[in-house]
Amino acid sequence: MKEKEGFVDCPEQQMILYVEKEDGHYGPMQTGSYITKNYIDDYFTKRNNLVISLREQINRREISPVKFFMIFEDLTINELSARTHIPLRKIKKHMLPGHFEQLPEDILNRYAAVFNVTIEQLLKADPGTELQNAEATKP
Amino acid sequence: MTSIPFSHKMGAHCESGTVTSLLNHAGLTISEPMVFGIASGIFFGYFHKHKSFTFPTFIVRNRPGDIRKNIRKRLGVEFQTYSFKREQDGIAKLDELLTRGIPVASQVDFYYMDYVPSWERAHVNVHFMVVIGKEGAEYIISDSYFPKPERLNEESLRRGRFAGGNMSPKGFLFFPQDVPNEVDLKKPILKGIQKACFNMLKIPVPFVGIKGIRLFAKRVVDWPKFARDTEHLSHEVMKINILLEDQGTGGAGFRFMYATFLQQAAEIVNKPGLKDLSSELMIIGDGWREISLFAARIGKNRDLGPEKMKELSEMIMERAQVEEEFFKKLKQSIK
């Protein structure tokens, strides 16, 4: 790839791309992310739609906030189990609203820490600032 | 405690960028492509099902940690490493090393790095960066993905260092302890190329190397079966672009950086054939970049029917063919 073809004007996400310089040598250039520059709107649209869809499932009492965050943060049940030190069979129960509502604070804390949210956000299935900041962070 | 004088430099990739920065700090002048090439960083692996991944995915670099290990073996650099069972021991050791003025590489889950924009974050336990100081309750971080040093609060670094799960960091820290002032790069370069060719051509596992690229090409048409809905499929297909371009590869799934290594290596080992091969790999990389752009476009347009997925599959299969020929020639060129 030639240097002039590699430049993307995206100060919000900078990266290093290896390119062919004018003198024929290959080397690094600092540039921006093509996908962030061109498709970040689409990313936030999909994230917003995912939140709406998962919250509808919570409202229909099909899933609990544990399942919400597991899907939102792209974690498998095995990963969540290894990270929270909660057995798989218990997590499967915690993904259902009835069981989730009876969880003690220490278990809620373990989930909240892994999902990097407060307990309040966990209970409300609120992923925090990511979506609120979508407009502000748009390149 | 304040920041240790450290020359922050952006790198294409977190592990090779981190190792390069630390070696440069210790007095050894070496480029990131040279570190990546000597460590046999170029790779391919496809995972159709894996207990730690929610969707089929692929990797384009060797196993995390192998850059450092191969540099140790091939350049004779001794690294001091630490991992911890108890979090408090890991926190105390990091603070002690910083107090002694030692910049330290740390392995973390990328998700907890608060300085990373939300759309870039993912739970990946194998991100590497250098901790270069501490002010109050904040660490100063030299992360090669970012143009300048960043700040990170103690709690976020703790969560990142001690995240559980697949390839859990366990607070892992390392820094070069004994670095030769001068190294003869000829043998390490040849060894690095030899191992890279073995990894791409000879590992007897169906999902690794050229076989892995072919498997990716064959199985990508099945991706719609794994998706919750069209938007989910779109997201995963567009991640092909991110994995090849944005997730610290230097472009085209490390092919451009490896081409740079081969161009630098040609002069050092006096094998002009490597220079021709570096040009060939640059062109192969352009083909990977076409795949990236195609994936982003069909994902954005939700144009993800069987015909487009087949077209994507054919583009990937073509890369397998050209890379197989390339690595066979590369292997011959160093005999």
Side-chain angles (χ1 to χ4, degrees):
Chain A
M1 163 169 277
K2 307 271 186 201
E3 188 167 19
K4 61 184 175 193
E5 295 162 1
F7 181 73
V8 175
D9 184 16
C10 180
E12 293 77 9
Q13 188 177 340
Q14 290 286 286
M15 56 193 280
I16 294 293
L17 183 67
Y18 277 84
V19 291
E20 183 179 348
K21 309 274 183 176
E22 277 189 9
D23 64 1
H25 277 87
Y26 302 158
M29 74 176 283
Q30 187 176 329
T31 183
S33 160
Y34 174 86
I35 201 158
T36 298
K37 166 86 179 169
N38 293 290
Y39 298 120
I40 195 75
D41 283 349
D42 184 57
Y43 169 81
F44 282 122
T45 300
K46 283 185 280 200
R47 295 294 274 177
N48 274 313
N49 290 342
L50 177 62
V51 168
I52 291 167
S53 159
L54 293 173
R55 281 192 179 146
E56 282 171 0
Q57 291 176 58
I58 288 178
N59 291 339
R60 292 198 300 269
R61 295 188 62 77
E62 291 168 1
I63 64 168
S64 77
V66 169
K67 180 100 186 243
F68 172 97
F69 278 103
M70 217 177 89
I71 294 173
F72 190 77
E73 296 192 11
D74 208 18
L75 288 165
T76 63
I77 191 166
N78 294 73
E79 271 296 295
L80 188 56
S81 173
R83 285 164 181 265
T84 54
H85 305 290
I86 298 171
L88 281 174
R89 60 182 173 77
K90 287 194 177 173
I91 294 183
K92 282 179 187 165
K93 286 182 181 173
H94 299 167
M95 292 196 297
L96 301 169
H99 288 278
F100 177 79
E101 283 155 8
Q102 292 166 26
L103 289 181
E105 198 174 330
D106 67 314
I107 297 291
L108 291 174
N109 264 325
R110 284 202 233 171
Y111 282 122
V114 169
F115 296 138
N116 208 25
V117 293
T118 62
I119 287 192
E120 194 184 9
Q121 285 175 297
L122 175 67
L123 296 173
K124 287 182 181 169
D126 170 13
T129 55
E130 175 179 333
L131 299 177
Q132 293 154 23
N133 287 343
E135 285 301 313
T137 52
K138 222 183 276 177
Chain B
M1 193 194 307
T2 53
S3 184
I4 299 161
F6 186 83
S7 176
H8 172 78
K9 208 172 159 191
M10 280 187 88
H13 174 56
C14 67
E15 190 178 351
S16 55
T18 294
V19 169
T20 304
S21 288
L22 287 174
L23 292 179
N24 291 168
H25 181 79
L28 181 65
T29 304
I30 191 166
S31 69
E32 186 186 4
M34 190 55 64
V35 165
F36 184 76
I38 287 173
S40 315
I42 198 160
F43 194 73
F44 196 92
Y46 177 73
F47 302 97
H48 199 59
K49 281 184 181 171
H50 189 285
K51 66 178 184 176
S52 295
F53 304 134
T54 58
F55 204 85
T57 191
F58 60 93
I59 52 169
V60 279
R61 49 144 307 172
N62 60 356
R63 189 179 162 83
D66 278 0
I67 300 272
R68 172 183 47 81
K69 287 177 190 167
N70 289 338
I71 287 296
R72 183 186 68 78
K73 268 195 292 190
R74 293 172 193 160
L75 291 186
V77 174
E78 285 305 321
F79 288 97
Q80 178 71 56
T81 63
Y82 302 93
S83 54
F84 305 90
K85 284 185 180 165
R86 298 189 329 153
E87 290 185 9
Q88 57 267 44
D89 293 343
I91 293 164
K93 177 53 77 177
L94 174 60
D95 289 354
E96 178 212 317
L97 292 169
L98 293 174
T99 307
R100 285 165 52 197
I102 300 171
V104 194
S106 176
Q107 183 184 340
V108 293
D109 179 348
F110 195 54
Y111 192 84
Y112 300 106
M113 302 301 101
D114 291 342
Y115 53 83
V116 179
S118 65
W119 66 86
E120 283 184 65
R121 287 197 210 174
H123 283 288
V124 179
N125 270 338
V126 288
H127 183 61
F128 293 90
M129 67 346 181
V130 186
V131 187
I132 58 170
K134 190 176 184 186
E135 280 179 8
E138 283 185 326
Y139 287 96
I140 303 162
I141 307 293
S142 172
D143 187 324
S144 61
Y145 286 170
F146 291 83
K148 58 179 182 54
E150 301 287 344
R151 284 169 179 271
L152 183 67
N153 70 61
E154 286 175 320
E155 176 57 14
S156 296
L157 183 58
R158 186 196 65 76
R159 282 188 187 180
R161 289 181 67 200
F162 296 98
N166 186 33
M167 307 201 83
S168 167
K170 298 185 175 72
F172 187 70
L173 301 171
F174 73 89
F175 63 90
Q177 197 173 33
D178 186 12
V179 181
N181 291 330
E182 280 184 36
V183 282
D184 183 355
L185 295 175
K186 284 180 191 162
K187 271 190 185 172
I189 285 171
L190 296 175
K191 184 70 191 165
I193 293 173
Q194 193 183 26
K195 180 69 175 163
C197 293
F198 176 82
N199 288 345
M200 291 302 289
L201 296 169
K202 292 285 182 190
I203 294 183
V205 176
F207 55 87
V208 160
I210 303 301
K211 290 194 283 285
I213 304 176
R214 289 213 168 92
L215 186 64
F216 178 27
K218 280 182 198 160
R219 305 302 289 270
V220 76
V221 293
D222 294 333
W223 279 22
K225 293 178 194 165
F226 291 88
R228 290 186 298 272
D229 51 32
T230 305
E231 288 202 344
H232 183 206
L233 180 61
S234 154
H235 178 69
E236 296 295 340
V237 169
M238 289 173 91
K239 263 167 64 179
I240 292 174
N241 182 300
I242 293 167
L243 294 172
L244 287 173
E245 311 298 333
D246 278 28
Q247 216 166 62
T249 74
F254 291 108
R255 271 58 189 164
F256 292 157
M257 186 155 71
Y258 200 73
T260 307
F261 157 69
L262 291 178
Q263 192 184 59
Q264 292 176 3
E267 288 180 22
I268 297 168
V269 298
N270 196 24
K271 283 188 183 288
L274 288 181
K275 201 173 174 197
D276 297 335
L277 286 167
S278 76
S279 306
E280 194 177 325
L281 186 57
M282 213 50 162
I283 294 165
I284 290 172
D286 287 340
W288 279 109
R289 200 150 169 100
E290 280 175 28
I291 292 172
S292 299
L293 299 178
F294 181 79
R297 197 169 55 245
I298 64 172
K300 168 70 167 72
N301 296 335
R302 313 292 190 264
D303 189 4
L304 298 158
E307 277 181 23
K308 285 292 174 194
M309 295 305 282
K310 188 164 175 276
E311 203 178 330
L312 178 61
S313 164
E314 285 165 356
M315 290 169 86
I316 298 165
M317 194 60 91
E318 194 190 340
R319 288 306 90 196
Q321 185 62 33
V322 292
E323 289 216 350
E324 183 169 30
E325 288 165 19
F326 169 81
F327 280 102
K328 282 180 178 170
K329 280 190 265 182
L330 183 60
K331 192 180 166 195
Q332 282 300 320
S333 76
I334 56 161
K335 279 190 173 169

